Amino acid sequence: MRRKFVAGNWKMHGSLAANEALLRALLAGLGNGYAAEVCVCAPFPYLAQCASLLAGSRIAWGAQNASQHDHGAYTGEVSAAMLREFGCRHVIVGHSERRALYGETDGLVAEKVSAVLAQSLVPILCVGERLEERESGVAEQVIGHQLDAVLSHCGIGAFAGLVVAYEPVWAIGTGRTATPEQAQAVHAFIRGRIAAHDAAIAQALVIQYGGSVKPGNAAQLFAQPDIDGGLIGGASLVAEDFIEIVRAAA
Ligand code: 13P
């Protein structure tokens, strides 16, 4: 039985004051009355704040990126070992915004997965197709390549230590969610791709859906057999919305 996992991706939003209000509202609002695993992925400078406000709670915190390198002359980069020192449990890797805006390739993403796993942190590996790829019928091919890059660089064993987030690019921040059926079909494809290598690892793999998840659509998405929770952008910045989404992952 896979656990449901809901993670917030704050992206480049927040401030000390806004984060404190949000985290206090989450702690108070969620209490212990929820079944899912929960994480918030904050910008790097706020990880210490997350560590101090969330310590001892059931809410984990994580980062949105990490370097593929352990240390060295890489100005502006942050290593997985550094994230671990701040108590991070998860690291988002290969988000479509990083692939599109910062040129992260399938190969680089695979190296980052490996660096994060080496620090015993859990990568949230993002995969997903762009609108034109869906419309031209190559969505599965694109996602297959994204997964295969990690399989060939890290091996199937990596999938026992990571979470996959299926985020169709056309659904991110657009208000246009994949239907539960569309999302389920891709989640089943992803699980099948992993199952071809190791059925037990595939069965245990947590696959989140991300892309305009809101309180109004979360329960239907999370009810699909291969959707194991969500990676939430905009709605993770609104305490009541994020709480409702977490509760929908019962
Ligand atoms: P939205 O929930 O704002 O569409 O963002 C999804 C996302 O990119 C999470 O990583």
Side-chain angles (χ1 to χ4, degrees):
M1 181 60 180
R2 290 183 299 273
R3 68 189 191 280
K4 288 275 197 278
F5 177 34
V6 176
N9 175 8
W10 291 359
K11 309 194 178 185
M12 200 174 74
H13 293 290
S15 64
L16 287 171
N19 303 344
E20 177 162 355
L22 174 59
L23 293 174
R24 288 199 189 284
L26 292 183
L27 289 167
L30 282 171
N32 267 320
Y34 63 100
E37 186 181 346
V38 178
C39 177
V40 293
C41 295
F44 295 135
Y46 300 127
L47 292 173
Q49 183 188 28
C50 289
S52 106
L53 286 169
L54 298 176
S57 81
R58 280 180 55 197
I59 304 177
W61 58 97
Q64 301 170 15
N65 183 28
S67 171
Q68 70 275 33
H69 302 293
D70 293 338
H71 54 81
Y74 302 107
T75 302
E77 291 291 279
V78 171
S79 73
M82 294 170 185
L83 299 176
R84 195 176 135 154
E85 283 205 294
F86 285 86
C88 286
R89 194 174 305 162
H90 304 90
V91 183
I92 297 172
V93 176
H95 191 280
S96 64
E97 286 152 17
R98 296 216 55 90
R99 293 177 188 261
L101 303 173
Y102 302 98
E104 293 197 4
T105 60
D106 290 351
L108 176 62
V109 170
E111 286 181 49
K112 290 186 173 200
V113 166
S114 170
V116 170
L117 285 170
Q119 292 299 325
S120 306
L121 302 180
V122 178
I124 299 176
L125 167 65
C126 298
V127 298
E129 81 287 1
R130 291 176 293 141
L131 184 59
E132 57 271 31
E133 292 166 337
R134 170 160 287 261
E135 286 175 343
S136 57
V138 296
E140 292 190 352
Q141 203 176 312
V142 168
I143 294 163
H145 279 148
Q146 292 169 339
L147 293 170
D148 288 351
V150 176
L151 282 163
S152 71
H153 183 78
C154 308
I156 181 65
F159 285 79
L162 60 71
V163 168
V164 171
Y166 167 55
E167 299 206 308
V169 178
W170 46 272
I172 295 177
T174 58
R176 181 182 166 187
T177 327
T179 65
E181 295 71 26
Q182 279 174 324
Q184 165 58 27
V186 178
H187 282 235
F189 165 77
I190 292 169
R191 202 177 302 289
R193 191 85 168 197
I194 302 306
H197 296 261
D198 189 310
I201 287 177
Q203 195 49 42
L205 178 65
V206 170
I207 309 176
Q208 296 175 319
Y209 168 79
S212 298
V213 178
K214 305 288 176 209
N217 59 27
Q220 257 193 313
L221 286 160
F222 299 166
Q224 300 299 310
D226 288 293
I227 301 184
D228 307 312
L231 183 55
I232 319 301
S236 73
L237 298 169
V238 181
E240 312 81 77
D241 288 0
F242 193 62
I243 288 166
E244 251 192 86
I245 292 168
V246 169
R247 293 234 169 88

